[in-house]
Amino acid sequence: MDIKDYIASGVVEMYAMGTLSPEEKKEFEQKMLVYPEVAAELRSVQETLENFAESHSRNPRPELRGEVLEKVIGKGSAGKDKGNIIPLDPTHRLTYKYLIAASLAALLISTFASWFFYNNWNDAEDRYVAVLKEKNQMAENYNQVKNSFEHTYSDLLVMRDGDAKVMMLMPIDSTKRYQMRVYWNQYTSETYIDVLALPDPGEGKQYQLWAIAGGIPTDAGVFSIPEDQSMMRVKNINVAEQWAVTIEPKGGSVSPTMDQMILISKNS
Amino acid sequence: MVRRIKITEEELIRLLSNREEKGIEILYDNYSAALYGVIHRIVQQDEIAEDVLQETFLKIWNNFGQYDSAKGRLFSWMINIARNASIDKVRSKEFVNRNKNQNIEKAVFSAGEDLQSGFNPETIGIKKMVQELEPEYRQVIELLFFGGYSQSAAAEKLNIPLGTVKTRSRAALQKLKNYFERI
């Protein structure tokens, strides 16, 4: 294409008014470097457009000069020692208002939440303590039940022992209702007693059990009435034909005080 | 009328390249009225025109490194920045919503009477001459220059062949050139 035709195509005006595509623009700039006519034409068109633009001149508000320059230089010189302080304009102030309102709201909510959760925590703590107490109570009850069961069970084991002889001791004075049982295993020598009813032994006195064999009494141990009414193990006895209980001074005697005998079994 | 400090374009370019604040001050004093006129012609509203003018000077200052004197004159470079910023503004959603009943074509075609409203004694003569430009030439040049239309878009808008747009825009600029040279 002849350069005159190129110029006449209107491409210079389009370039000047910025309506060329990027490729056309590039082509034009290359042509401008090669053909001084193109550059000269562009200068001419630009001058005309500048005049055209100036023909629309309009003076802005005089105050705008300061505003624009402050903004431009203020922004442009960020990094210079002038600093880059952004003044609080009304929109910023509004933003701060919202920020303050938001933080107050957040404070209020968190205070309420703290109070709420503190109460909840206290509640939970109280209930926890109550449950703990209940649990301890139940453990105690269980232990009691367990203990009493163990006593009962061991009593039962004694009573169910097929090798044990069971002897009922009856009162000497037949008008009284005193009674006691002796469980004696002649193979293992283990001896248990089961108190049913006995008179009060008196101050400083205890009961003493005697095993009698061949007319000779042997000490089988001293005892008091057990609080839990369970059976008691006494001394191991190897030989016994008859059993008797006397009331003796505390600690027992070497031989029975005959006039203090309260119970005796039948001769087996 | 702001007093203009006479300065060569080369000197001004040097000041701006060195980011000397004096450069932007001179620039404002020499070109703000012309740029504001172009911007106002496009956006039609004082408040918005002021925003765009500020934006234009910011762009000139911050992007001055992109200016290449081999590719055109400084003033034209600045006018194009102002034009593009204005056209972007007019095409923005925000602007369109705000001015539903006043679109860009209307702005362009209401140009005639608007020419009288600026009070710049220096350019009154030129304005008169621009107004004397035949309407078919003025329409084309205004659509292209103020409307940001491409030549083909302008052809479609005016319902004339693309070739006609090309010849008219060239002829319009030639006529304007002649007018301006006579002053």
Side-chain angles (χ1 to χ4, degrees):
Chain A
M1 194 196 274
D2 186 67
I3 199 66
K4 282 209 173 87
D5 293 339
Y6 182 71
I7 291 169
S9 73
V11 72
V12 185
E13 291 79 4
M14 285 172 79
Y15 179 82
M17 290 193 275
T19 56
L20 286 181
S21 69
E23 301 82 54
E24 292 171 323
K25 202 175 150 198
K26 213 170 174 183
E27 191 196 349
F28 182 87
E29 284 166 358
Q30 280 166 352
K31 284 238 160 55
M32 201 160 48
L33 292 176
V34 182
Y35 301 100
E37 308 96 289
V38 177
E41 180 65 14
L42 177 68
R43 198 162 306 119
S44 164
V45 169
Q46 283 194 329
E47 275 173 23
T48 305
L49 285 171
E50 285 169 12
N51 283 324
F52 180 63
E54 271 206 295
S55 75
H56 292 83
S57 277
R58 192 181 181 106
N59 286 323
R61 278 188 298 127
E63 305 92 283
L64 196 63
R65 183 182 191 272
E67 293 169 22
V68 169
L69 290 179
E70 193 191 351
K71 192 105 179 187
V72 170
I73 294 165
K75 275 204 175 168
S77 63
K80 286 188 186 173
D81 56 4
K82 262 192 171 177
N84 195 18
I85 297 158
I86 301 161
L88 274 183
D89 68 26
T91 41
H92 277 92
R93 253 180 257 135
L94 199 62
T95 309
Y96 280 113
K97 270 186 191 167
Y98 280 124
L99 281 176
I100 289 166
S103 22
L104 282 178
L107 181 67
L108 205 67
I109 290 166
S110 68
T111 306
F112 175 76
S114 303
W115 173 79
F116 177 77
F117 287 119
Y118 176 75
N119 276 358
N120 268 11
W121 175 75
N122 261 353
D123 246 32
E125 177 81 0
D126 288 351
R127 273 181 290 165
Y128 168 71
V129 167
V131 169
L132 206 64
K133 243 173 155 179
E134 205 173 308
K135 183 222 144 203
N136 286 340
Q137 184 64 50
M138 280 176 77
E140 207 175 295
N141 288 353
Y142 166 78
N143 278 336
Q144 277 179 7
V145 172
K146 186 172 170 247
N147 279 341
S148 88
F149 167 77
E150 277 170 357
H151 278 300
T152 310
Y153 185 66
S154 59
D155 289 358
L156 187 67
L157 283 183
V158 172
M159 288 190 278
R160 290 182 66 185
D161 183 356
D163 296 330
K165 280 188 171 174
V166 186
M167 280 148 300
M168 183 65 86
L169 277 67
M170 299 307 284
I172 302 290
D173 177 354
S174 56
T175 59
K176 301 287 194 290
R177 302 187 58 84
Y178 313 133
Q179 270 187 332
M180 199 180 98
R181 267 189 222 110
V182 173
Y183 294 85
W184 173 58
N185 186 318
Q186 57 187 323
Y187 305 107
T188 65
S189 306
E190 281 177 20
T191 309
Y192 293 85
I193 56 170
D194 183 10
V195 178
L196 300 174
L198 285 177
D200 180 19
E203 194 69 30
K205 301 284 178 70
Q206 268 186 310
Y207 309 108
Q208 189 164 8
L209 179 66
W210 304 93
I212 303 161
I216 300 160
T218 306
D219 169 37
V222 293
F223 63 94
S224 305
I225 295 175
E227 276 175 34
D228 61 356
Q229 308 282 312
S230 64
M231 292 172 76
M232 279 182 293
R233 188 172 177 180
V234 291
K235 290 182 177 176
N236 282 7
I237 295 299
N238 297 324
V239 200
E241 291 158 358
Q242 225 179 341
W243 301 85
V245 173
T246 56
I247 292 176
E248 303 289 343
K250 222 170 188 170
S253 306
V254 181
S255 54
T257 312
M258 293 311 285
D259 62 347
Q260 290 297 314
M261 186 175 287
I262 48 171
L263 292 171
I264 191 147
S265 69
K266 286 181 187 160
N267 201 332
S268 55
Chain B
M1 180 81 194
V2 180
R3 185 167 26 89
R4 290 192 180 185
I5 299 163
K6 288 295 169 200
I7 186 170
T8 63
E9 203 167 283
E10 291 78 43
E11 177 65 4
L12 187 54
I13 290 167
R14 195 189 59 77
L15 286 176
L16 289 169
S17 299
N18 293 342
R19 299 187 73 69
E20 285 185 37
E21 290 170 12
K22 198 166 180 262
I24 197 78
E25 286 177 24
I26 293 169
L27 199 72
Y28 189 91
D29 293 339
N30 286 348
Y31 298 105
S32 60
L35 297 177
Y36 186 69
V38 170
I39 293 164
H40 198 281
R41 178 68 188 69
I42 298 170
V43 304
Q44 305 268 307
Q45 289 167 55
D46 292 351
E47 198 190 333
I48 297 171
E50 288 186 1
D51 283 351
V52 176
L53 184 68
Q54 180 161 302
E55 195 184 315
T56 300
F57 275 102
L58 263 176
K59 280 184 177 163
I60 292 170
W61 179 247
N62 290 334
N63 303 333
F64 196 74
Q66 291 169 14
Y67 172 66
D68 180 357
S69 59
K71 290 180 186 170
R73 290 163 54 85
L74 175 65
F75 186 24
S76 286
W77 182 73
M78 296 189 298
I79 290 170
N80 279 338
I81 289 177
R83 275 178 61 222
N84 291 336
S86 306
I87 290 162
D88 285 350
K89 192 71 163 186
V90 168
R91 288 178 180 166
S92 71
K93 219 174 189 172
E94 162 207 11
F95 187 91
V96 172
N97 288 342
R98 199 169 147 170
N99 302 278
K100 279 207 169 110
N101 48 358
Q102 194 182 11
N103 55 30
I104 185 163
E105 291 89 43
K106 203 172 165 198
V108 167
F109 287 114
S110 68
E113 56 272 31
D114 187 63
L115 289 174
Q116 257 118 0
S117 57
F119 290 100
N120 197 336
E122 223 181 51
T123 58
I124 281 176
I126 303 172
K127 279 179 184 175
K128 239 178 127 64
M129 277 182 275
V130 172
Q131 270 182 291
E132 279 166 15
L133 198 62
E134 292 89 332
E136 62 264 38
Y137 293 110
R138 213 175 70 203
Q139 269 183 353
V140 171
I141 209 76
E142 287 188 334
L143 269 186
L144 296 176
F145 193 69
F146 293 126
Y149 278 67
S150 66
Q151 290 188 331
S152 50
E156 207 173 302
K157 179 77 207 160
L158 297 172
N159 202 20
I160 52 175
L162 178 60
T164 312
V165 171
K166 289 187 180 193
T167 50
R168 278 188 192 171
S169 69
R170 217 173 130 64
L173 283 171
Q174 195 56 51
K175 279 173 191 278
L176 286 173
K177 189 185 171 189
N178 294 339
Y179 285 139
F180 295 137
E181 275 169 358
R182 267 192 268 131
I183 302 166

